[in-house]
């Protein structure tokens, strides 16, 4: 199973929006509505930010939103804040009780 | 509150073995698939293995198949990963994670495995 493709980096100024893409295939992202997004700060465990493409767990700010079109899922962070600077990873169900992660995107708040 | 606590990480020589444990609490452990995910220093996340609720179905990434064994003890709310024939490229933080529809939702804090002579 090949990793999902994410841009290595993305950036924005405080208050702006940034969108991260996650491209897979019809066997993973395009085939199921089971895409998740994680935020990881240095030295910390990943934290679930979005699940089932668009849903936010309790406690995650509504500045974080997810979407999907075809084989590409996206995470948008609106109203960027300094604490949003982190690495972000997508993951998708890929059938047969397997999942696959994205390559990761480092978000910098300028 | 869902809690996952890994232990067992250590410095081990190439070719050696290690057993990682994950203690789960705050949810009905026996009703969830569970995962091990690893992250090499400065690298991205890599799914390693998962196991079904009963411990019968197990899946592994190709690079560890035949060397690592995932198991669970539902009576003890615990997940395990037996690592054997360890290589330098297995050096990573190993995370225990609860799974829902192929994706982790809750993660432990991780345990570091270093393979070096």
């Amino acid at each position: 199973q090949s990793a999902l493709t994410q841009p290595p980096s993305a950036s924005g100024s405080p208050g702006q929006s940034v969108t991260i893409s996650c491209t897979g295939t019809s066997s993973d992202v395009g085939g199921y509505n089971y895409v998740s997004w994680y935020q990881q700060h240095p030295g910390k465990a990943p934290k679930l930010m979005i699940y089932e493409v668009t849903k936010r767990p309790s406690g995650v700010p509504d500045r974080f939103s997810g979407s999907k079109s075809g084989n590409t899922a996206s995470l948008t962070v609106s109203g960027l804040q300094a604490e949003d600077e982190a690495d972000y990873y997508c993951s998708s169900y890929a059938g047969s009780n397997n999942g696959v992660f994205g390559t990761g995107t480092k978000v910098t708040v300028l | 509150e869902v809690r996952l606590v890994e232990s067992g990480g250590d410095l081990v020589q190439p070719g050696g073995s290690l057993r990682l444990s994950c203690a789960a609490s705050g949810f009905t452990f026996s009703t969830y698939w569970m995962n091990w995910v690893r992250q090499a220093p400065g690298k991205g996340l890599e799914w390693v293995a998962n196991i079904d609720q009963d411990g019968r179905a197990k899946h592994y990434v190709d690079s560890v198949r035949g060397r690592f064994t995932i198991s669970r003890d539902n009576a003890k709310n615990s997940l395990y990963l037996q690592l054997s024939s360890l290589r330098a490229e297995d050096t990573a933080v190993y995370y225990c994670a609860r799974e829902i529809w192929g994706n982790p939702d809750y993660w432990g804090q991780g345990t570091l495995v270093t393979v070096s002579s």
Side-chain angles (χ1 to χ4, degrees), chain A residues 1 34-36 38 40 43-48 52 89 91-93 96-103, chain B residues 33 37 39 43-47 50 59-60 62 95 99-110:
Chain A
Q1 189 72 41
Y34 294 117
V35 175
S36 296
Y38 307 92
Q40 187 180 34
K44 301 293 186 181
K47 174 187 174 184
L48 181 67
E52 292 180 17
Y89 294 90
S91 71
S92 174
Y93 183 63
S96 301
N97 301 111
N98 289 321
V100 59
F101 286 104
T103 50
Chain B
W33 280 74
V37 177
Q39 187 170 35
K43 302 297 184 181
L45 301 171
E46 179 184 38
W47 173 81
N50 67 355
H59 303 276
Y60 300 92
D62 287 347
Y95 293 102
E99 176 186 315
I100 186 161
W101 279 112
N103 294 318
D105 56 357
Y106 287 92
W107 300 65
Q109 85 290 347

Side-chain angles (χ1 to χ4, degrees), chain B residues 22-78:
Chain B
C22 172
S25 60
F27 65 103
T28 306
F29 179 74
S30 61
T31 64
Y32 285 88
W33 280 74
M34 294 297 295
N35 286 241
W36 286 99
V37 177
R38 68 183 178 183
Q39 187 170 35
K43 302 297 184 181
L45 301 171
E46 179 184 38
W47 173 81
V48 174
N50 67 355
I51 187 169
D52 75 349
Q53 293 91 333
D54 296 327
R56 295 174 192 166
K58 305 174 185 181
H59 303 276
Y60 300 92
V61 67
D62 287 347
S63 59
V64 310
R65 189 174 293 114
R67 300 188 299 121
F68 291 8
T69 302
I70 190 172
S71 62
R72 66 190 297 161
D73 185 336
N74 287 341
K76 295 183 178 180
N77 288 340
S78 293

Side-chain angles (χ1 to χ4, degrees), chain A residues 1 23 26 30 42 44 49 56-58 60-61 66 68 97 102 109-110:
Chain A
Q1 189 72 41
T23 301
S26 58
K44 301 293 186 181
M49 304 302 284
R56 274 188 314 276
S58 175
V60 173
K68 191 185 84 167
N97 301 111
V109 181
L110 302 171

